Amino acid sequence: MTTTSAADEIPGFNHTRIAAAGKTWDAVRVPRFIGLQVLNVIQGQEGAIVMDPRDRAMYFLVPPGTTADWKLSQSTALGETNYVVLPADDKEIPPGPFWLVPPRRGRLHTDTGALRIALQSVLEQRGTAQPNLGKLTMDQVRGFNCALCGARLTKDRLLGTFIGESVLLSDPTELWACSPQCR
């Protein structure tokens, strides 16, 4: 386990900036709701994590070159040729991108293998039900009705963040379903 400060590993950290992946680190981008579940699975093994509230995303920093064969749904690997907005080294609250786990509190990298296993586990637990994005109503998009069956939601579970071709889903949108499972 390597303990370093953000300034040692990622120089020039006085302000939010765009940084190239693939040199000191690669990143794995996941929707916030999935990333928080993954964080619960790997608790204690995580490296630096950037939260981007605008995109409702989390970025796990992993060792450089370890995401070349990354192919897991609900996630995107960012290595060479990709960039990530990194917050100032002391920014730990919104607005804007902030460190959920700053590099100075522990290791810089999350183990890529542990992250992959945790993400697979979370995705398996979530199931495979997918909404028909082309037929969603405004109440389904707003989270009032189940995105799968259309029933009014009293207890719900998050299906994921979706983007569709319709005007209703032109931005990443969290969709909800009946809990514990759609009838």
Side-chain angles (χ1 to χ4, degrees), residues 12-75:
F13 250 73
N14 297 325
H15 304 287
T16 300
R17 68 188 181 102
I18 297 173
K23 293 179 173 78
T24 306
W25 45 265
D26 283 0
V28 174
R29 180 188 190 278
V30 296
R32 176 185 59 210
F33 65 92
I34 291 177
L36 292 172
Q37 293 173 49
V38 167
L39 186 56
N40 284 333
V41 173
I42 63 169
Q43 191 113 40
Q45 300 177 54
E46 70 276 359
I49 301 171
V50 176
M51 291 289 278
D52 186 348
R54 188 185 66 108
D55 290 337
R56 297 182 186 150
M58 290 175 65
Y59 295 82
F60 289 83
L61 301 188
V62 297
T66 61
T67 62
D69 64 343
W70 191 272
K71 289 180 179 38
L72 286 175
S73 66
Q74 300 280 337
S75 66

Side-chain angles (χ1 to χ4, degrees), residues 8 12 27 57 67 72 78 86 128 134-135 139 145 166 181:
D8 292 338
T67 62
L72 286 175
L78 304 166
L86 296 177
T128 59
K135 295 190 177 192
D139 282 346
N145 291 7
S166 72
Q181 58 185 303

Side-chain angles (χ1 to χ4, degrees), residues 18 20 23 31 36 59 100 104 117 132 137 139 163 165 182:
I18 297 173
K23 293 179 173 78
L36 292 172
Y59 295 82
L100 180 63
R104 71 176 184 273
I117 291 167
N132 182 340
T137 66
D139 282 346
I163 299 175
E165 294 179 13
C182 185

